[in-house]
Amino acid sequence: MAATFGLVAAPQPVLAQPKDLVIFAAASLKNALDEAAAGWARETGKPAPKISYAASSALAKQLEAGAPADLFLSADLNWMDYAAGKGLIRPDTRVTLLANRIALIAPSDSRLSLTLTAGVDLAAALGPGRLAMANVDSVPAGKYGKAALERLGAWDKVKDRVAQADNVRAALLLVSRGEAPLGIVYTTDAAADPKVKVLATFPQDSHPPILYPVAVTRDSTHPDAAGFLAHLRSSGPKAAFEKQGFTVLNKAANAT
């Protein structure tokens, strides 16, 4: 009888999986950007990007130190300008995507009432407590808040009573937990936390415009980097951004 030889299947090649699409984004974008990223994953059938949230200043410094990321979303123009000046982004991909506002918040059960006009006495409203803010020297939300308080003539009375946090969401948490009676955050942050309420929104002319630029990083090789940026600029995520209180601008950096 002829011998029967079993067929041994040749080993199948292991297909390399593309590395994660990595996004560096300002902490204030978390709710809206998470929703936009989930929408992109549903539409494309691809894994959702990995998003690292922190202060724009910290993210720009991480990029400078060589941390890998494919897109950078900043909460102000200065830190995107910093990244551009260091050659860390592709200038032709830069877009001013969103605008925001800052507000004075309190715990949801607070009985305080304030109007943010020139001469407002925040020190009296604080009582023995402290004013929660993101770092006023480096974090965009903190810098905007300090500028607004200076414009209203309130900074000198509260500058020694500020509880500075690493980012705006950390400042929000101090108020949400009742550890600070007042705080300054973006209106979009306040909308994301039912344990706080907005007492007043700062006048727009009291601080520089709050703009959110985005760009593909210089060293990105991910094939979906440009596609995800295009998704952020499309009509799909617009509702997610607006639901959180952002104004969608979608203006290319070289637009007039």
Side-chain angles (χ1 to χ4, degrees), residues 9-17:
Q12 296 298 308
V14 176
L15 299 178
Q17 297 298 315

Side-chain angles (χ1 to χ4, degrees), residues 2-28:
T4 302
F5 295 92
L7 296 178
V8 179
Q12 296 298 308
V14 176
L15 299 178
Q17 297 298 315
K19 68 180 182 67
D20 291 326
L21 180 65
V22 178
I23 314 298
F24 278 8
S28 52

Side-chain angles (χ1 to χ4, degrees), residues 181-241:
L182 294 172
I184 298 176
V185 300
Y186 297 116
T187 56
T188 51
D189 295 306
D193 192 332
K195 293 183 179 180
V196 306
K197 65 180 179 182
V198 172
L199 297 184
T201 302
F202 283 89
Q204 285 187 297
D205 63 358
S206 66
H207 55 79
I210 302 175
L211 302 174
Y212 286 65
V214 55
V216 176
T217 63
R218 176 196 63 200
D219 294 334
S220 174
T221 59
H222 201 290
D224 291 326
F228 187 72
L229 176 56
H231 173 72
L232 293 179
R233 301 186 65 186
S234 70
S235 59
K238 187 172 186 286
F241 289 126

Side-chain angles (χ1 to χ4, degrees), residues 34-58:
D34 280 352
E35 186 172 336
W40 181 80
R42 286 194 302 270
E43 291 173 15
T44 63
K46 298 178 180 181
K50 304 296 184 183
I51 308 176
S52 178
Y53 293 105
S56 301
S57 51

Side-chain angles (χ1 to χ4, degrees), residues 11-239:
Q12 296 298 308
V14 176
L15 299 178
Q17 297 298 315
K19 68 180 182 67
D20 291 326
L21 180 65
V22 178
I23 314 298
F24 278 8
S28 52
L29 286 164
K30 179 170 174 48
N31 295 67
L33 191 56
D34 280 352
E35 186 172 336
W40 181 80
R42 286 194 302 270
E43 291 173 15
T44 63
K46 298 178 180 181
K50 304 296 184 183
I51 308 176
S52 178
Y53 293 105
S56 301
S57 51
L59 295 172
K61 290 290 188 179
Q62 288 175 31
L63 282 177
E64 185 179 12
D70 299 294
L71 271 74
F72 175 39
L73 287 87
S74 173
D76 75 348
L77 300 178
N78 289 341
W79 282 110
M80 185 62 79
D81 289 343
Y82 179 89
K86 298 290 184 178
L88 301 173
I89 64 164
R90 299 179 191 173
D92 59 318
T93 67
R94 179 172 172 172
V95 175
T96 302
L97 187 65
L98 305 166
N100 207 345
R101 301 284 301 275
I102 53 171
L104 183 70
I105 62 167
S108 57
D109 59 355
S110 173
R111 296 184 179 181
L112 285 173
S113 177
L114 284 172
T115 302
L116 292 174
T117 55
V120 60
D121 192 353
L122 281 186
L126 284 171
R130 298 173 72 83
L131 176 65
M133 296 177 66
N135 186 288
V136 300
D137 295 317
S138 60
V139 180
K143 294 194 296 182
Y144 293 130
K146 178 182 177 182
L149 293 177
E150 287 177 332
R151 182 67 178 269
L152 297 177
W155 176 249
D156 286 343
K157 290 184 178 181
V158 299
K159 64 183 180 181
D160 295 326
R161 301 179 61 191
V162 174
Q164 297 193 56
D166 289 340
N167 60 64
V168 69
R169 284 300 175 102
L172 174 71
L173 196 58
L174 289 174
V175 181
S176 178
R177 290 175 173 174
E179 296 172 18
L182 294 172
I184 298 176
V185 300
Y186 297 116
T187 56
T188 51
D189 295 306
D193 192 332
K195 293 183 179 180
V196 306
K197 65 180 179 182
V198 172
L199 297 184
T201 302
F202 283 89
Q204 285 187 297
D205 63 358
S206 66
H207 55 79
I210 302 175
L211 302 174
Y212 286 65
V214 55
V216 176
T217 63
R218 176 196 63 200
D219 294 334
S220 174
T221 59
H222 201 290
D224 291 326
F228 187 72
L229 176 56
H231 173 72
L232 293 179
R233 301 186 65 186
S234 70
S235 59
K238 187 172 186 286

